[in-house]
Amino acid sequence: MLPPHFQPNSPRPFLKWAGGKKQLIAQYFPYFPQKFETYYEPFLGGGAVFFYLFRSRSIFQAVLTDINSELINTYCCIRDNVEQLILLLKEHQARHNKDYYYEVRSWNEGTPLQKAARLIYLNKTCFNGLYRENSQGKFNVPVGKYKNPQICHPDLLHSVSAALQLARIEVKPFDAVLDYAKSPQDFVYFDPPYYPLSSTSNFTAYSRYSFNEADQIRLRDIFAKLAERGVRVMLSNSDCPFIRALYSEFKIHEILATRAINSDANKRGKISELLVTSY
């Protein structure tokens, strides 16, 4: 069951993103605060929670940040220059094939708009919609096997652009939220790279910046500092003893998610995840 206020043409994630929360909103929405003035999302990714809140709540301020500069550039281009971006995506759509994919993947330079169009094009045509960078910060996912991928979706991009008009969008590390969120009128949602459940599931490097156990502990400390200020804080992560112990002083809720990315098809399916709230 979808949460209330959902309509097919409403703004929603425009990127396929590993760990995206689009399919979990129906389980999340009972835990969202009823009222808040400013929303902060320090691990923006696909932005599913922001888009849901935009659809379902009265006007609020939003500060959307991520350490991935290519991702943040794309959001800014959609907000500020969506028409030109659509034209570039239509060019990619017309020229798409396997050879063209690898040609575009090899590009290193370009204007902000060209880089945004490149990211969306690669995201829509790469294997499994998986964003991954190597240690040099270069996108390195192979082409996917799609017969007719929808690279340009003008109606969706227009609705996303409208939703982002009031948002502050910046490249920032997650700890920068401490400089902004300071009152009970603030709501912070953390969606970090999940703590690995096993040595073979250690998929934390969506970008060149890894996210290790020390980062998980630092994130918990920031969660606690925000909670002490009265900020309403929510966090998603894997269901494992390490995360349960880290957040044992807060409210922990179990969420049933579908694991979509796994090289072994037999290991894809339902899995328990955690949603932690300070309220």
Side-chain angles (χ1 to χ4, degrees):
M1 183 180 75
L2 288 172
H5 308 290
F6 176 83
Q7 295 181 10
N9 294 326
S10 298
R12 60 189 187 278
F14 60 93
L15 294 173
K16 296 180 289 182
W17 204 259
K21 296 299 181 286
K22 182 178 177 181
Q23 305 303 324
L24 299 181
I25 293 297
Q27 296 181 72
Y28 279 19
F29 81 86
Y31 302 107
F32 292 134
Q34 292 301 309
K35 296 181 180 179
F36 57 88
E37 294 179 2
T38 306
Y39 172 69
Y40 299 86
E41 189 164 349
F43 297 92
L44 180 55
V49 170
F50 165 74
F51 290 120
Y52 166 71
L53 293 173
F54 178 86
R55 294 193 306 264
S56 63
R57 306 298 169 100
S58 57
I59 294 175
F60 60 90
Q61 295 180 323
V63 179
L64 309 175
T65 58
D66 200 287
I67 201 170
N68 187 323
S69 60
E70 295 288 338
L71 176 69
I72 292 300
N73 172 67
T74 302
Y75 274 91
C76 289
C77 287
I78 292 177
R79 180 191 62 190
D80 301 334
N81 206 344
V82 69
E83 298 298 345
Q84 291 299 313
L85 180 62
I86 287 171
L87 291 177
L88 292 176
L89 287 171
K90 286 182 177 179
E91 292 182 18
H92 285 312
Q93 181 113 26
R95 300 181 63 185
H96 173 64
N97 58 44
K98 182 178 179 180
D99 291 338
Y100 182 71
Y101 173 90
Y102 286 107
E103 177 187 339
V104 173
R105 198 185 75 165
S106 70
W107 293 354
N108 294 318
E109 303 297 333
T111 66
L113 272 170
Q114 289 171 332
K115 291 180 178 180
R118 173 183 180 269
L119 186 147
I120 294 173
Y121 166 68
L122 294 176
N123 178 262
K124 298 297 185 183
T125 55
C126 72
F127 175 75
N128 220 10
L130 172 63
Y131 188 93
R132 185 184 65 212
E133 294 179 351
N134 60 21
S135 59
Q136 288 77 45
K138 295 181 179 180
F139 186 83
N140 64 352
V141 181
V143 67
K145 297 180 180 180
Y146 307 107
K147 292 184 178 180
N148 188 28
Q150 187 170 18
I151 296 163
C152 184
H153 194 321
D155 290 343
L156 173 58
L157 292 174
H158 280 126
S159 68
V160 168
S161 180
L164 295 174
Q165 290 306 306
L166 297 178
R168 178 176 174 179
I169 308 171
E170 297 181 337
V171 178
K172 293 281 187 182
F174 68 87
D175 55 4
V177 72
L178 286 173
D179 298 331
Y180 307 113
K182 299 180 179 180
S183 79
Q185 286 72 47
D186 294 329
F187 172 38
V188 177
Y189 169 56
F190 289 116
D191 183 24
Y194 279 18
Y195 187 76
L197 296 176
S198 67
S199 59
T200 58
S201 65
N202 191 12
F203 183 73
T204 60
Y206 298 103
S207 71
R208 75 196 78 173
Y209 308 103
S210 62
F211 202 84
N212 56 33
E213 188 169 295
D215 293 316
Q216 296 283 358
I217 295 172
R218 189 158 60 96
L219 176 57
R220 187 278 317 275
D221 292 343
I222 291 171
F223 187 107
K225 288 179 182 178
L226 291 169
E228 289 174 1
R229 296 175 180 178
V231 175
R232 282 167 284 189
V233 195
M234 187 170 81
L235 172 142
S236 51
N237 214 314
S238 55
D239 186 354
C240 62
F242 176 74
I243 296 298
R244 283 184 176 270
L246 270 186
Y247 293 93
S248 60
E249 64 184 283
F250 302 103
K251 294 182 180 178
I252 297 178
H253 318 276
E254 292 185 13
I255 301 295
L256 196 60
T258 300
R259 182 184 300 182
I261 295 179
N262 194 303
S263 58
D264 185 349
N266 294 323
K267 294 182 180 180
R268 299 172 190 165
K270 297 294 183 180
I271 185 172
S272 176
E273 294 185 358
L274 299 182
L275 192 67
V276 183
T277 56
S278 65
Y279 46 90

